[in-house]
Amino acid sequence: MLIYLYLFAFGLGGVLLLGSIFIGDKDTGGDGGDSGDAGTSAQHFDHGVGEGHGAIAGLFTAFFSLRFWMFFLAFFGLTGLVLDGLDLVDSPTFALVAALGMGLLTGQGTVAVFRNLSHSETSTAASAADYIGRSGRVMVGFAAGDLGKIRLTLKGTTVDVLATTEEERGFASGEEALVIAMNDTTAVVARAPGI
């Protein structure tokens, strides 16, 4: 009797996993207009799961995650099929307990891994404040009020940013420019003191 339960769980979990791999996460009704980067994909998949509730509460909130149930069903069913279906253990009760344990372990582990990935992804993204006070080299020269481009190093990565200036004298290619403000994605630059 349990073999049918394992077969059903493995089939349903496998279909959900394959669907998430090939179709991807297209859930747009979740947290309110996030873009489709890796961090937000993880958050959409765990829609409704609270973030800062601590480790113990995080174990229980994982049960509200679609990702948890996909992995739980797939690995619960697979473990049960292997242990009970191939008669690798004598007791069906032991096979059931092992299948439940494997399903819980993989479900919880997967949710924890994706939450950590989403946190590390968002923590490495640069904010506007990270640009201010940085100096960079002008790549495309520009006059006052016009747009140009500067290249600077931010959090270990080389970044090209649109730039403008309010100074009367513009910037030529190759000069150093100091970011004094950010207007959306455009840096407002000035000459560094002493230049």
Side-chain angles (χ1 to χ4, degrees), residues 25 27 31 33-45 67 114 117-126:
D25 177 24
D27 182 13
D31 304 336
D34 291 328
S35 63
D37 61 9
T40 27
S41 293
Q43 290 167 358
H44 277 309
F45 240 121
R67 182 175 284 119
F114 276 91
L117 286 174
S118 69
H119 288 306
S120 65
E121 184 74 23
T122 55
S123 67
T124 58

Side-chain angles (χ1 to χ4, degrees), residues 17 67 83 152:
L17 280 173
R67 182 175 284 119
L83 294 179
L152 48 91

